[in-house]
Amino acid sequence: MPGHPTPSQTVGPFFSLGVSWIDADELVDPGRSGAVVLLGRVLDGSGAPVPDALVEIFQASPTGRFDPNAEERWSGFGRCLSDDDGTYRFVTVKPGALGAHSAPHIDVSVFARGLLQRVVTRCYFPDEPDANRADAVLRAIDDPAVRGSLVAVPDGEGLRFDIRLQGAGETAFFAW
Amino acid sequence: MSRDELIAATTALDPPYDWPAYRSSALRCPHRPLLTLPAGPTELHGPVFGHHRIDPADADLTAQHAGEALGERIIVTGRLLDADGRPIAGQLVEIWQANAAGRYAHGNDQHPAPLDPNFTGAGRCLTGGDGTYRFVTIKPGAYPWRNHPNAWRPAHIHFSVFGRTFTERLVTQMYFPGDPLLDLDPIYQSVSDAARPRLVSAFDLGTTTPEWALGYTFDVVVGGHLATPVVG
């Protein structure tokens, strides 16, 4: 029925059947210049890992483009199923700037059993303090702890972006 | 804003995060109000999947193994549309489901119903120029789950679709008309009265292939999701 959007329903516990055919946790070759590991854990309100989360990311190319032909094999899309420890892991590159008041960012969706619709958040980069200060989305958030939940932290292997669905340190989630 | 107000505000189209009747939501639902994200370039673009290898055979779930899948063969078809009713061409539709006995071919499914070696229950396709998708599959069975005493999920097929933009990404479930379990299912019931019928496919004699398979139609309309921002 046009004009009547179809409601969301949970992805349930068995989605790996339908979505794991895409091997999309590496958006770029790990050996490529500028390749960065983006990893984190999805955690529930008790701090327990969410071992059955579907994490998807979408981002601009390093030159700030979305055209799939902008760069060889560039899709801007990543998909990873969390493991028993709730951990997801991507290999990607920092996206290019998208305007004066927009710091480099990656859009993140999390689907899981127990979530009747996805949660959406954004991952910003810790080595962009000036751009982050000027970013319109970050600036609109008064609470520094909430703002901080959107910035990845350096980790031994790359960048860590934990996603806390509920409770202490709850990640900021968005609607539009 | 109170939790009740938060629930009410996000119930407009999509189900709320906090839905006590669905036990698994208790520790996974965000408690803080959603923040408003002004849609920028990242939100107004989306992935395209034309370069992925998608075989037409991926849309026939009954023919992925050496033998015939068991159960009631059905055709499920419809269009992927945006909120203005415009077709979305060339985008990815993924489905997964239980077999005719109500069992998923997944290691974590403990329901003591038989697996079908000739049915995996996963398919995918790209929409055609008019937004059409079409799958041949088996009507899934109902199955028990442990949400509450004597809980049974109505027969359903999981749908994952991509619109043109990140904001149009949608995962949902398609149900079958007349299923008595719909009234008892907290997942289906999490959607407002007005929107529930949009989750139910329609039996269609025109789609039905004589002497072969019943046909069901199910349009998927994307857009408007997470579009009722609750600003805290």
Side-chain angles (χ1 to χ4, degrees), chain B residues 127-212:
Chain B
T127 55
D130 61 351
T132 298
Y133 74 85
R134 183 178 186 274
F135 292 103
V136 177
T137 185
I138 294 293
K139 189 172 184 185
Y143 59 85
W145 59 314
R146 294 178 180 173
N147 186 71
H148 56 275
N150 208 7
W152 291 77
R153 292 295 332 274
H156 61 275
I157 296 177
H158 294 268
F159 271 70
S160 158
V161 303
F162 291 80
R164 296 190 189 91
T165 66
F166 178 80
T167 58
E168 291 178 335
R169 176 82 175 98
L170 177 66
V171 171
T172 189
Q173 300 180 26
M174 183 204 94
Y175 300 93
F176 290 87
D179 191 328
L181 294 172
L182 289 173
D183 289 343
L184 304 171
D185 180 49
I187 293 178
Y188 175 72
Q189 295 288 330
S190 69
V191 172
S192 66
D193 288 355
R196 267 176 223 153
R198 303 177 212 160
L199 294 173
V200 183
S201 58
F203 169 70
D204 184 45
L205 194 61
T207 300
T208 297
T209 302
E211 314 298 328
W212 194 68

Side-chain angles (χ1 to χ4, degrees), chain B residues 1-9 31 33 230:
Chain B
M1 174 172 291
S2 74
R3 244 172 91 175
D4 286 347
E5 286 169 326
L6 178 60
I7 289 172
H31 280 167
V230 181

Side-chain angles (χ1 to χ4, degrees), chain A residues 3 5-10 16 21 45 52 56 79 105 107 113-114 117-118 122 165-166 170 173 175-176, chain B residues 14 17 22 24 26-29 31-32 35 37 42-43 83 94 166 169 172-173 175 198 221 223 225-226:
Chain A
T6 308
S8 172
Q9 294 271 268
T10 181
S16 66
W21 65 280
D52 53 357
E56 291 183 349
R79 170 181 272 179
H105 61 270
D107 277 8
R113 174 179 62 85
Q117 60 176 318
R118 66 172 167 167
R122 257 190 184 188
L165 294 177
Q166 183 191 93
E170 184 174 309
F173 297 113
W176 30 76
Chain B
D14 287 309
Y17 291 115
Y22 177 30
S24 298
L27 283 171
R28 295 183 169 188
C29 63
H31 280 167
R32 264 211 316 272
L35 304 174
L37 182 64
T42 310
E43 292 72 40
E94 300 166 297
F166 178 80
R169 176 82 175 98
T172 189
Q173 300 180 26
Y175 300 93
R198 303 177 212 160
V221 182
H225 302 282
L226 287 169

